[in-house]
Amino acid sequence: MMIKFPEGEMVDDNDDDCSDEFTKLIRNMNPPRVVIDNDSCEDATVIRVDSVNKHGILLQVVQVLTDLNLIIRKAYISSDGSWFMDVFNVTDRDGGKVLDEEIISYLQKSLESDAFFFPKLSSAGTSPSKEHTLIEFTASDRPGLLSEVSAVLATRMYRVARAELWTHNARVAAVLRVVDESTGGGAAVAVDLERLSAIKQLLCNVLEVDGDSSSTGTMGVASGSTHTQRRLHQMMVDDRDYERGKRREEDDGESRPRVAVRDCVEKEYTEVIMRPKDRAKLVFDTLCTLTDMKYIVFHGTVSTGEEEAYQEYYIRNVDGSPVSSEEDRRHLIQCLEAAT
C-alpha cells in the first residue's frame, strides 16, 4: 500500500507571479462586472459575468453557483483572448428564480472581489486549520467502511466532525474533517506526529481487504484550501476510476454517457460534445475534469432537457495546442465519462 502525506497546502495554482501581475493590471483597467437579471427570462435568473480572463476562472464561477445550490439550466461561454464573458441561466433547487436578496448580494460581492480572482491576496482558508485536520483516502467501497474508519479514529480520541465521500465503480474517495477530543476538540491531529503515525497504520489496515492488492487504498493527512468536491474529483482520477468503468461496461454491458471529441481544424480547437443524463452539479463536474486535465475552455454552450443535458466545449491545452494524439483523445473521453 502506498501511504502519501501531502506537504503544505492543497492549493491549485498554475499561474506564476508575473502572470498574476499582468492580470491584475488588466483587471484594474477593466474591473469585473456581474449583472443579475430576473426580468429578461421568464423561467430563470440570468447571471452575466464579464471579467479579465484567467485559467480556471470559469470553474471558480461555476463553483460559486454550485455551492449556493443553484442549478445551471443554460450557459453561454466565451473567453477568447484576455477577456471572459459568460451568461448563466440558473434556478434554485425548486426550479424557481433566485429572489433571495442575501444570495444575490453574495453573488455580486464574491464574483467581483479581488480575493475571488486572486486567491493569494486573501489568507482566508489557505492556512492550516487549528481546529481540525483533513484526512483523505481512496479504497475499495464496501458496507460499513466509514463506520470502521470512525471507530479506528475514536480509539485514538479523534472525532469525525464532517465527512464527504464519493463512490464510483466500486471505489470510494473520502475527505474527513477530524478534531482531537483529548484536547477538547481544539487541536489538529498533525501536531502530534507519533499519534498521527499510529493512526496511519491503523487506517491502512482498515483500507486493505483480505490481502487483495486490488482492494488496497491510499490515505493521506493534509491541511489546505482546495474545494472539497474538487479534491474528490482529483482523488478519483488519481485512483484511475475511469479505467475501472471501462472494465465494468465490458462485463455487464452498461451504457456510458455519450462523449465525442473531434477536431475543429479551422479554429485550431478541439470540440467536445457531451450528452449525459441531466443532474445537479453536472457542469461543475465536467469543468473540474477539464481544468484538472490542463484544458482551457474558450467557448461553450450548455443546455438541459427533461432527462438529458447537452454540453459543447471548444478547448485547447494550456500550451495553446488542440488535443492531437489518439491516446490523449481516448483518455479525455474516459475521464469525462467517469466524471458525468
Side-chain angles (χ1 to χ4, degrees):
M1 174 183 294
M2 177 180 68
I3 307 301
K4 56 179 183 180
F5 286 79
E7 298 181 358
E9 302 170 356
M10 295 189 296
V11 178
D12 180 68
D13 185 5
N14 295 307
D15 297 330
D16 56 28
D17 292 336
C18 292
S19 176
D20 268 349
E21 290 302 321
F22 180 70
T23 305
K24 290 174 191 175
L25 176 62
I26 297 177
R27 184 183 182 279
N28 289 335
M29 296 170 60
N30 301 277
R33 189 166 70 103
V34 178
V35 176
I36 300 175
D37 177 8
N38 271 312
D39 298 325
S40 61
C41 182
E42 182 178 346
D43 56 0
T45 296
V46 179
I47 301 175
R48 300 183 181 90
V49 182
D50 298 324
S51 170
V52 60
N53 192 22
K54 182 179 180 180
H55 178 55
I57 191 63
L58 173 60
L59 175 58
Q60 287 179 257
V61 173
V62 170
Q63 183 174 297
V64 170
L65 300 178
T66 301
D67 286 348
L68 290 171
N69 291 320
L70 301 181
I71 309 298
I72 299 174
R73 302 298 180 182
K74 293 182 180 180
Y76 307 93
I77 300 161
S78 179
S79 58
D80 248 343
S82 60
W83 199 250
F84 168 87
M85 295 177 288
D86 276 10
V87 179
F88 301 94
N89 287 20
V90 304
T91 64
D92 60 22
R93 286 281 189 176
D94 299 322
K97 293 186 177 184
V98 183
L99 302 175
D100 189 314
E101 290 298 330
E102 289 188 9
I103 293 179
I104 292 174
S105 176
Y106 177 83
L107 282 169
Q108 202 100 40
K109 291 178 180 178
S110 62
L111 295 178
E112 291 181 349
S113 70
D114 281 341
F116 175 76
F117 285 93
F118 306 104
K120 291 180 181 179
L121 297 181
S122 172
S123 60
T126 60
S127 57
S129 170
K130 296 180 180 179
E131 298 181 354
H132 65 256
T133 290
L134 300 182
I135 292 181
E136 58 182 43
F137 67 81
T138 56
S140 291
D141 187 27
R142 68 177 188 275
L145 180 61
L146 179 59
S147 177
E148 292 177 34
V149 170
S150 299
V152 167
L153 292 170
T155 64
R156 290 296 188 269
M157 296 294 290
Y158 298 126
R159 174 175 56 85
V160 178
R162 181 177 178 180
E164 292 194 43
L165 301 91
W166 281 4
T167 61
H168 185 232
N169 291 336
R171 300 293 292 177
V172 59
V175 176
L176 313 180
R177 296 179 184 270
V178 178
V179 295
D180 188 347
E181 292 286 279
S182 67
T183 60
V189 178
V191 299
D192 190 333
L193 295 180
E194 184 176 345
R195 294 176 70 196
L196 184 147
S197 179
I199 292 174
K200 177 186 69 174
Q201 186 57 52
L202 289 171
L203 289 180
C204 286
N205 294 335
V206 170
L207 297 179
E208 286 188 306
V209 181
D210 299 328
D212 179 3
S213 61
S214 66
S215 299
T216 60
T218 62
M219 191 276 287
V221 180
S223 297
S225 62
T226 297
H227 188 270
T228 302
Q229 293 190 23
R230 184 171 182 190
R231 180 65 189 138
L232 289 168
H233 265 285
Q234 295 168 343
M235 292 166 64
M236 279 295 195
V237 172
D238 290 343
D239 195 51
R240 306 180 77 87
D241 69 318
Y242 52 87
E243 290 185 346
R244 293 181 174 88
K246 180 181 179 182
R247 291 197 296 269
R248 186 185 67 174
E249 184 188 3
E250 292 171 351
D251 292 339
D252 59 21
E254 182 177 334
S255 62
R256 301 182 187 179
R258 289 181 287 171
V259 180
V261 176
R262 59 194 188 192
D263 296 329
C264 182
V265 178
E266 62 274 13
K267 297 293 185 179
E268 296 185 345
Y269 294 125
T270 296
E271 182 183 20
V272 177
I273 297 178
M274 305 172 59
R275 296 180 182 273
K277 182 179 179 181
D278 190 29
R279 60 170 173 75
K281 301 185 180 181
L282 181 63
V283 178
F284 173 78
D285 291 336
T286 303
L287 293 177
C288 271
T289 302
L290 291 173
T291 303
D292 287 334
M293 293 183 74
K294 311 301 183 186
Y295 292 113
I296 298 175
V297 176
F298 287 87
H299 302 283
T301 302
V302 173
S303 62
T304 59
E306 292 184 2
E307 294 186 0
E308 187 180 72
Y310 177 84
Q311 299 186 40
E312 181 178 10
Y313 302 102
Y314 291 85
I315 67 172
R316 291 180 187 147
N317 288 289
V318 289
D319 63 5
S321 65
V323 180
S324 55
S325 74
E326 190 59 36
E327 181 181 355
D328 288 344
R329 192 187 308 268
R330 186 164 52 250
H331 182 55
L332 175 58
I333 291 174
Q334 286 179 346
C335 289
L336 288 173
E337 287 173 344
T340 56

